Amino acid sequence: MSLAVASTVLALVISVVSLVASSVVSARQLQLAHNSNLLPVVVELFRETRQPHFSRAIEYISVELAREHSPEFGYRRLPEEPLRHVRCVSLFYDDVGKLVAHGVVDERLVIGSYGSNIVNMWSVLAPYIYRERELTTKAMIYFEDLAYRAQVRPQARVHTELGLQITPPRPSPTSD
């Protein structure tokens, strides 16, 4: 092999390595830019679920809604306070479902954080939502999709997939 051919092959190898390295770095920068743009959205989602009104809505739906109100008339005809609770939770999960369905937010982040609650809230609210669909329009389709995703990919499985570890409390030392 002549020196000219060897230098051409070496130049070609260096070019290919440079192209691959540049592509990897560019992809990583694009991912970092994407993540930094999503950070405010994700922080706001977490902030919303920590608000007292959201916790109260979850509690009301879990404990009181079905006991106090039949799904016979859907959810839009509920009295003001129950309607406010239902909308707080269902619209939140419908919006989160939109972000998941469109690939804006990673499904594992949402299900890993809220999976059990999504499934529980859907199981209570589904009769009201389905009745509402019969009476008016197709509502909460993204919430339903999110609930389906959380049912087939349970929160505990997501935690396992992510490799989350547990650290049980250490036994307290006994005094002799």
Side-chain angles (χ1 to χ4, degrees), residues 22-151:
S22 177
S23 296
V24 168
V25 168
S26 294
R28 180 69 180 139
Q29 286 177 332
L30 186 60
Q31 183 63 42
L32 289 172
H34 176 73
N35 289 347
S36 69
N37 289 337
L38 288 179
L39 187 58
V41 172
V42 172
V43 168
E44 187 56 35
L45 291 176
F46 290 146
R47 182 178 293 131
E48 178 65 19
T49 60
R50 286 168 175 73
Q51 297 301 314
H53 71 273
F54 192 85
S55 297
R56 175 65 186 123
I58 294 288
E59 181 181 337
Y60 178 83
I61 292 166
S62 297
V63 177
E64 300 171 39
L65 178 65
R67 187 178 64 215
E68 295 178 1
H69 302 282
S70 165
E72 175 183 4
F73 300 109
Y75 66 85
R76 291 182 183 171
R77 289 160 199 80
L78 288 170
E80 184 180 334
E81 184 182 1
L83 177 60
R84 188 174 55 248
H85 292 315
V86 168
R87 285 192 167 177
C88 175
V89 172
S90 63
L91 291 174
F92 173 80
Y93 285 131
D94 197 55
D95 288 344
V96 172
K98 291 170 189 164
L99 297 174
V100 169
H102 292 282
V104 175
V105 174
D106 187 343
E107 177 180 303
R108 294 175 310 163
L109 175 64
V110 172
I111 294 173
S113 301
Y114 306 119
S116 298
N117 203 35
I118 293 166
V119 172
N120 292 339
M121 289 298 95
W122 178 256
S123 68
V124 174
L125 293 173
Y128 298 86
I129 293 169
Y130 268 83
R131 182 63 179 141
E132 191 64 44
R133 289 176 183 174
E134 293 171 2
L135 297 170
T136 59
T137 185
K138 189 158 182 141
M140 307 297 167
I141 58 174
Y142 289 99
F143 179 14
E144 183 173 17
D145 177 73
L146 185 62
Y148 174 81
R149 291 171 189 250
Q151 285 174 344

Side-chain angles (χ1 to χ4, degrees), residues 157-175:
R157 183 184 318 158
V158 171
H159 294 166
T160 300
E161 290 171 2
L162 292 171
L164 298 183
Q165 302 298 311
I166 60 170
T167 307
R170 294 181 182 166
S172 57
T174 57
S175 55

